[in-house]
Amino acid sequence: MITIANPIYDVVFKYLMEDERIARTILSALLKKNIVKVEVRPHEYTNGQKESLSIFRIDFGATIRQDDGEEQLILIELQKTWLPTETLRFRQYLGVHYQNPKNIVVNSPDRHALPMVAVYLLGHCVGEIEDPVIYVRQQVYDYDDKPVVRGIPDRFVDSLHHNSIIVQIPRLHGKVGNRLEKVLSIFDQSRVSQTDQHCLRLDDAAFADADDDMQPIFHRLMMAAANVEMRQDMNVEDEYYSIIKEQEGRLYGLERDLADKIGQLAEKDGQLAEKDGLLAEKDGQLAEKDGQLAEKDGQLAEKDGQLAEKDGQLRALVKMLLQSGQTKDAIADTLHISREAIESLV
């Protein structure tokens, strides 16, 4: 068994990728391309702001030798994170590259941009995807969804889109088969030492047929494991990430409480809306009753008018009969009303 420093730590990962040969080995295995030269992009070596970010990022300019011998310069943005983080951060970093004029080939007739590949080394899993390494490649289609072959690849298209490689470190599970699995085995957290999480324990036998490119990786990580200052830096990272996890736990609790309160407010709003609906329904019923009462009042007013009209006609008739010489008693008998009613009319 050999003991190597755990490159999940930023300080170890940085130390590892500073070696040009090792960077070529790792990136070649990931891209499945023959990378003949790798350079860290000037002033792009960054770990962000420790107080706010948990993403480690390195940008490379890589020269790839194609099968026909032609060499092509591409941009590789490599991002590593321990913790689940918002995809917005990854997109923001990509946006920096797309708007950076240094990534334009100015001496080309069409001033095309460097093709870019985004590599994500994740210390967490992505949804339910079980494959430890997935490749997201662009494809060009016509209107009928048929792949466009003629003229592809095209520098204009490649300037506006990019391929991605996503590595789910928790999915590595100790497999050592193909070349990529051998290279990625140095990130396999199932190999963490039971007595020291800063180190991984690897079985020599699993790498007996490893090529010469793997030996510099093992040697450099063994040197890192024996470096006192690097051990101290790893302790600092442990403290930092424990604080980040604690903060994220608190934020998660606050977000959950806020979501509960929002749900409660929404429930109360629903209840108030229901009550408003009931009140509106009652108001409608009262308005309907008011309308019915108004209608009855109109009918009563109409009947009162009819009665007044009849009283007027009866009064005129009694007056005419009195003028013709009939007595009040005779008129009461004729009209079948009481003498008192005749008296009220005259």
Side-chain angles (χ1 to χ4, degrees):
M1 301 294 291
I2 59 174
T3 299
I4 63 173
N6 190 347
I8 197 73
Y9 286 89
D10 293 350
V11 62
V12 179
F13 185 68
K14 173 181 178 295
Y15 176 72
L16 183 69
M17 299 302 289
E18 283 176 336
D19 186 288
E20 195 266 348
R21 179 179 178 181
I22 292 175
R24 277 194 294 110
T25 299
I26 293 175
L27 295 176
S28 295
L30 283 167
L31 272 65
K32 296 187 284 188
K33 298 286 187 180
N34 180 16
I35 298 179
V36 296
K37 183 179 179 182
V38 169
E39 292 182 352
V40 176
R41 300 284 285 182
H43 309 298
E44 295 293 331
Y45 207 122
T46 177
N47 194 16
Q49 298 297 319
K50 272 295 187 181
E51 64 269 16
S52 61
L53 296 180
S54 57
I55 298 174
F56 188 85
R57 169 179 166 232
I58 312 177
D59 302 325
F60 296 97
T63 302
I64 295 177
R65 181 170 295 149
Q66 307 291 0
D67 294 338
D68 58 4
E70 181 182 355
E71 293 187 353
Q72 178 189 22
L73 178 64
I74 69 169
L75 179 65
I76 300 175
E77 183 189 71
L78 191 152
Q79 298 186 44
K80 179 184 71 67
T81 178
W82 273 30
L83 307 173
T85 187
E86 302 91 346
T87 54
L88 177 60
R89 293 181 184 176
F90 294 126
R91 290 171 63 90
Q92 287 172 337
Y93 293 152
L94 289 171
V96 170
H97 287 302
Y98 274 107
Q99 66 183 0
N100 190 347
K102 294 181 181 179
N103 296 332
I104 300 295
V105 183
V106 294
N107 58 355
S108 64
D110 55 359
R111 290 177 56 84
H112 68 278
L114 291 175
M116 181 170 61
V117 178
V119 180
Y120 303 101
L121 299 177
L122 305 181
H124 59 89
C125 296
V126 178
E128 298 181 0
I129 301 175
E130 296 182 355
D131 300 89
V133 184
I134 58 175
Y135 291 81
V136 183
R137 297 191 176 100
Q138 60 175 318
Q139 178 64 60
V140 184
Y141 299 92
D142 62 14
Y143 179 79
D144 297 318
D145 292 330
K146 296 179 180 178
V148 175
V149 178
R150 185 176 181 179
I152 300 299
D154 176 80
R155 293 197 298 196
F156 178 82
V157 175
D158 292 342
S159 296
L160 298 176
H161 303 273
H162 68 275
N163 296 332
S164 298
I165 303 172
I166 300 174
V167 179
Q168 301 183 86
I169 292 175
R171 300 285 192 192
L172 294 175
H173 296 315
K175 291 179 59 179
V176 179
N178 56 44
R179 176 175 174 76
L180 178 58
E181 289 174 346
K182 284 185 171 66
V183 170
L184 292 181
S185 64
I186 62 173
F187 297 97
D188 186 355
Q189 298 304 292
S190 68
R191 304 174 186 271
V192 172
S193 171
Q194 295 181 356
T195 58
D196 185 359
Q197 65 178 0
H198 295 163
C199 295
L200 304 182
R201 299 276 290 166
L202 303 181
D203 186 357
D204 277 338
F207 300 92
D209 59 344
D211 53 44
D212 292 338
D213 288 334
M214 289 299 297
Q215 298 307 319
I217 297 177
F218 295 147
H219 179 70
R220 194 165 179 84
L221 290 177
M222 289 170 67
M223 290 174 58
N227 188 299
V228 175
E229 292 184 2
M230 199 160 294
R231 289 280 196 158
Q232 292 174 347
D233 289 339
M234 284 190 274
N235 286 329
V236 171
E237 284 192 42
D238 285 336
E239 294 176 5
Y240 164 68
Y241 282 112
S242 66
I243 294 172
I244 290 293
K245 287 181 180 180
E246 184 179 349
Q247 289 177 343
E248 290 188 349
R250 285 201 300 265
L251 287 174
Y252 175 75
L254 291 173
E255 289 174 355
R256 185 178 56 190
D257 292 342
L258 180 59
D260 290 341
K261 289 181 179 179
I262 291 174
Q264 292 171 1
L265 288 174
E267 184 179 356
K268 289 182 179 178
D269 288 341
Q271 293 172 350
L272 289 174
E274 184 179 355
K275 289 180 180 179
D276 288 341
L278 293 173
L279 290 174
E281 183 179 356
K282 290 181 179 179
D283 288 341
Q285 293 172 350
L286 290 174
E288 183 179 357
K289 290 181 179 179
D290 289 341
Q292 293 173 350
L293 290 173
E295 183 179 357
K296 289 181 179 179
D297 288 342
Q299 293 172 351
L300 290 173
E302 183 180 357
K303 289 181 179 179
D304 288 343
Q306 293 171 352
L307 289 174
E309 183 180 358
K310 289 182 180 180
D311 285 345
Q313 293 173 352
L314 185 58
R315 190 183 302 277
L317 178 59
V318 170
K319 185 177 180 181
M320 183 184 67
L321 292 174
L322 287 173
Q323 290 176 351
S324 67
Q326 292 190 29
T327 66
K328 292 180 180 179
D329 290 333
I331 294 172
D333 291 338
T334 302
L335 298 177
H336 303 290
I337 57 177
S338 65
R339 180 179 174 83
E340 288 78 9
I342 296 297
E343 292 291 344
S344 66
L345 292 171
V346 297

